[in-house]
Amino acid sequence: MKGTEIQGFRLHDHGGPEVLQWGAITLPAPAGRQVLVRNRAVGVNFIDIYHREGLYPMALPSGLGVEGAGVVEAVGSEVTEFRAGDRVAYCMCTPGAYAEAHLVDASRIVRLPDAIDEESAAGVLLKGLTAAFLLHSMAPLQAGDAILVHAAAGGVGQLLCQWAAHKGLTVIAVVSTEAKAEQARSAGATHAIVGGPDGLAEQVRALTGGQGVRMALDSVGASTWEASLDSLARRGWYVTYGNASGPVPPIAPLELQKRGSLVMTRPGLADFVASREELDYLSGLLFDVLGQGVVKPAIGLRLPLAEAPEAQRRLQARETSGSIVLQV
Ligand code: NDP
């Protein structure tokens, strides 16, 4: 098979959305464990911004984007589990999904159930797997437990609210506007607090009879870490899983002991889907709740693929809610 000519984005420098350059790309024929996926929809994630800005190291030049859904066009000689024509979705792959097609290692790909269309898959796979590990692989959670969810109207946030509500958890959402509070409540949040970190812990204590929450799911990072720690119940879990406002500074272990023998972890999805078994486990949980309709893909913005820089600008400016999908 010869190379495939496509259009897509490349990155030659780190910087703002303007460093994304649209143009012709030649993809080589898939080799070994590679699969050539013809994208129908591409997911936009905050990690794309960390890659673009250089917060997460990436060799340049590079493609951008780690999530997409579409149809298998060709497979490398060592791929036996997928073949041309399969409907698939992928995430946490080598960056380059912001393109008409992408070469993806077979280990990053899941077959799509008939009931899930490509647009929904691109809106829900990476963020839904994240919600899956946050709710199933951190603190053991029981119905009635209270959790704090930052950026609760966002892509990951709305999925967390829906799923946590289904599990009977009390969700205290944190958002920046009244409109986002309404979205978080519609997604299943029990309470929604509008505003920044000031006074947050006091409000959380007031909502939990003075106890604090069992787990704080904090994707905002630099501006919220202290309020999250202060919102936790004794032996609660501080799960810092994102840096939307910047990375969290070093935290001394004694700060955890002082606040009640807290647990702190900084998880990344890659370590929860590293093997085929792990990916199948989490995607199985996700496809189950999607199939039952208790979690619905919350796509808040659709833009043509060529408008990826604008999608990133809006995501970073806190103008979006739900997932962002690029249409191919
Ligand atoms: P979101 O749709 O949640 O967008 C980010 C939201 O963060 C904004 O809408 C905004 O909500 C809030 N926010 C607070 N402060 C800032 C700030 N200074 N700049 C920008 N946004 C801010 O994005 P995603 O769903 O794509 O990702 C959510 C988070 O989850 C990200 O931090 C991401 O890195 C993390 N993540 C981590 C993974 C992991 O494996 N650890 C995997 C996937 C995602 P509001 O206006 O309500 O404050």
Side-chain angles (χ1 to χ4, degrees), residues 46 50 130 154-156 175-176 180 219 241 244 267-269 315-316 318:
F46 226 93
Y50 307 145
T130 303
V156 176
V175 291
S176 62
K180 288 187 176 185
S219 61
Y241 74 98
L269 174 59
L315 179 61
Q316 204 164 9
R318 304 166 80 160

Side-chain angles (χ1 to χ4, degrees), residues 6-9 20 22-23 25 39-44 64-65 67 96-101 302-311 325-328:
I6 58 161
Q7 298 283 311
F9 283 98
L20 281 173
W22 176 258
I25 298 170
N39 289 331
R40 287 192 176 152
V42 171
V44 176
L64 199 69
E67 181 179 34
Y98 287 10
E100 291 169 343
R302 296 167 176 83
L303 286 174
L305 174 62
E307 290 184 34
E310 171 62 10
V325 172
L326 302 172
Q327 297 166 318
V328 184

Side-chain angles (χ1 to χ4, degrees), residues 58-311:
M58 183 171 75
L60 296 178
S62 170
L64 199 69
V66 293
E67 181 179 34
V71 177
V72 171
E73 198 156 288
V75 300
S77 58
E78 294 164 28
V79 177
T80 53
E81 64 273 49
F82 299 107
R83 59 181 180 188
D86 285 349
R87 280 183 348 106
V88 295
Y90 59 87
C91 69
M92 302 310 284
C93 54
T94 306
Y98 287 10
E100 291 169 343
H102 192 28
L103 274 178
V104 184
D105 191 274
S107 66
R108 310 289 83 211
I109 300 178
V110 293
R111 196 179 299 279
L112 282 182
D114 291 345
I116 302 180
D117 62 77
E118 286 87 350
E119 183 179 86
S120 301
V124 86
L125 185 66
L126 191 153
K127 298 170 189 74
L129 294 177
T130 303
F133 88 72
L134 290 172
L135 292 175
H136 297 92
S137 307
M138 302 283 112
L141 294 168
Q142 288 167 358
D145 283 344
I147 64 169
L148 185 65
V149 176
H150 287 275
V156 176
Q158 287 200 38
L159 298 172
L160 277 173
C161 290
Q162 296 181 53
W163 207 334
H166 173 64
K167 290 169 74 70
L169 304 175
T170 297
V171 178
I172 303 178
V174 187
V175 291
S176 62
T177 65
E178 283 298 341
K180 288 187 176 185
E182 192 42 49
Q183 283 167 327
R185 278 190 289 263
S186 303
T190 322
H191 310 282
I193 297 174
V194 179
D198 291 345
L200 177 64
E202 291 71 20
Q203 294 182 71
V204 170
R205 299 244 166 238
L207 291 169
T208 53
Q211 294 293 302
V213 291
R214 168 96 175 109
M215 190 161 85
L217 295 175
D218 189 339
S219 61
V220 173
S223 64
T224 49
W225 66 272
E226 202 161 13
S228 288
L229 289 183
D230 289 338
S231 299
L232 285 163
R234 195 165 50 84
R235 294 167 58 186
W237 279 56
Y238 168 50
V239 181
T240 160
Y241 74 98
N243 332 278
S245 68
V248 174
I251 295 173
L254 269 181
E255 295 298 321
L256 305 177
Q257 185 268 340
K258 244 173 31 189
R259 290 171 169 88
S261 304
L262 305 179
V263 178
M264 168 171 153
T265 179
R266 202 322 180 178
L269 174 59
D271 290 312
F272 294 81
V273 293
S275 68
R276 170 54 59 185
E277 290 69 30
E278 288 170 343
L279 178 59
D280 285 348
Y281 168 66
L282 284 186
S283 58
L285 292 179
L286 176 63
F287 291 153
D288 258 12
V289 286
L290 289 169
Q292 292 169 42
V294 295
V295 171
K296 299 187 180 69
I299 299 175
L301 177 65
R302 296 167 176 83
L303 286 174
L305 174 62
E307 290 184 34
E310 171 62 10

